[in-house]
Amino acid sequence: MSDVDYAALIPNNVDLASDARLQRALEAWYPKYIDWWKTMGPEGFQDYEVYLRTAIGVDSEGWAKFGYVKMPEYRWGILLAPQEEGRTISFGEHKGEKVWQDLPGEYRAMLRRLVVIQGDTEPASVEQQRILGQTAPSLYDMRNVFQVNVEEGRHLWAMVYLLQKYFGRDGREEAEDLLMRRSGDADRPRILGAFNEATPDWLSFFMFTTFTDRDGKMQLESLANSGWDPLARTTRFMLTEEGHHMFVGRTGVERVIQRTCEIMKENGITDPTEIDGIRKHGGIDLPTIQKKINFHFSVTLDLFGAEVSTNAANSFNASLKGRFHEPKIDDDHQLQSDTYPVAQVVDGQVQIVDLPALNAINSRLADDFIDDCEKVMKRWNRVFQTHEIEHSLSLPHRAFNRAVGEFADVFVTDKGDIVSETEWHDRENEWLASDVDLDYILSLMQPETTPGKYAQWIAAPKAGINGQPGDFEYVKVRA
Ligand code: BYC
């Protein structure tokens, strides 16, 4: 069925009412989730009315409604994309077979791991972003971070549904653990590296939603063709919501760049490497923006796992996790004898080597991610053209600043040259923001809560959310 039961405590289109055991399990998890949300979710503003989008259906048209909601009362639901009649598996050993509706027993452990890792990132990002509401540069931006947060909460629900429905007691335990780990906690950290980094300021948030949410898109796209249909359908619907998160990031950075360009023009600054002159006028200088790109891009690349991975080969072979846009790729979708070019360290240099394609699944997904990021860079660089400023921002080399995979043990510059550890550390602040840079960004984080007004370091957006006018009160901060 695809109609959404909206009257239920947990809105859903999975006919929850007909599965009393599952319904009880999810209803028992619900208060624990709310408790987590209230303690680890957005700090402050929990009792305020926020203009939010809520998913109410799964059709491409009219799947969401907008309205004022207090965040703890948000209707987090379980929504799966409609089942495609007769869908067959498009890759791996089981290519051509009918997709599985039940959990395939032999792949239980692999699937549990994929679902838990995916699930863990969702609450992690909410925890990372919890203090941002207090320093929002506008009510528009404040609403956007809350929108992202409630939807990440819903994505957690999506994974918890799979755990509770298909993985029995283990699944219930994993669902509890998802609420116990904490981003950045020394004893109980979140599973993947980037989800333990702090997001203390809005430039970091916009970079995170540009790059790290884009990893989310790539990973969800890879799961969206899974041979296990419940996972495929769940992730497909999650992708519907993901687009807005990346939009928030891309346009957020774009607006920061625009404001910096305006400051340059207003003050006759022509040198794009100028730092103090921009900071004097309260803007974020372009070298610092580049350094933030370098950081978030490299930390996000780590999320793709090792370039050469037997884990990834196994889950592809088992028809559980495919590649980006798998059905559209022009090959046999089994890759038993194919090769793929992978960046490797050879003779002290980064070189491209042809390796068995099955082992290079992570590297290929990272390539697709990099292509997508290049498009974002083009959008950002257009702002310079509009302001007739000769400058461009760029992605650092894929081997730069890596902690996972092939380049974890070498020291690589932003241009891809391997250097000594000492040289790298001596030059680190050429590529990554220094404490002084980060303190400067933090010093700009003063809240602006007047409807229609924006902090001085960021331009207004081109359009309002859901067509709302410029002075719309996205969060009802006035009593
Ligand atoms: N940090 O063969 P390897 C999102 C571990 S984001 C720490 O290299 P594999 C979102 C790995 O677990 C998308 N550990 O990697 C965005 C393994 O350990 P075990 C989230 C790491 O398995 C914004 C070992 O290293 N979804 O949705 O091929 C806001 C060797 O593994 C890391 C997914 O990631 C790391 N960065 O690939 C909100 C999809 N990387 O198990 C949400 C599900 C690797 O041997 N996950 N390790 O002890 C996967 O597909 C894979 O697990 C990974 C890793 C792509 C993450």
Side-chain angles (χ1 to χ4, degrees), residues 17 39 98 136 140 142 160 209 230 275 293 310 317 345 436:
T39 48
K98 270 183 83 174
Y140 166 89
M142 189 195 284
V160 164
T209 36
I275 296 176
I293 292 172
T310 44
N317 237 346
V345 180
V436 173

Side-chain angles (χ1 to χ4, degrees), residues 124-125 128 183 190-199 208 212 215 295-296 298-303:
S125 67
Q128 286 173 297
S183 174
R190 291 294 173 182
I191 299 171
L192 298 176
F195 293 90
N196 288 302
E197 299 285 347
T199 312
F208 182 97
T212 309
D215 169 53
F295 176 76
H296 288 270
S298 56
V299 166
T300 303
L301 271 180
D302 280 343
L303 294 174

Side-chain angles (χ1 to χ4, degrees), residues 210-211 214 217-218 221 246 250-251 253-254 257 293 297 324-325 328 366-383 385 393-395:
T210 296
F211 293 112
R214 198 167 302 276
K217 166 181 147 181
M218 307 310 291
E221 285 277 4
M246 287 177 294
R250 176 180 61 73
T251 57
V253 176
E254 208 166 283
I257 298 170
I293 292 172
F297 176 74
F324 183 59
H325 290 167
K328 291 189 193 154
D367 284 346
D368 290 325
F369 166 75
I370 294 171
D371 286 350
D372 220 39
C373 292
E374 289 289 3
K375 290 184 194 142
V376 174
M377 302 309 291
K378 280 205 178 116
R379 299 283 293 252
W380 290 351
N381 285 332
R382 248 185 250 158
V383 183
Q385 290 154 17
L393 296 162
S394 54
L395 298 174

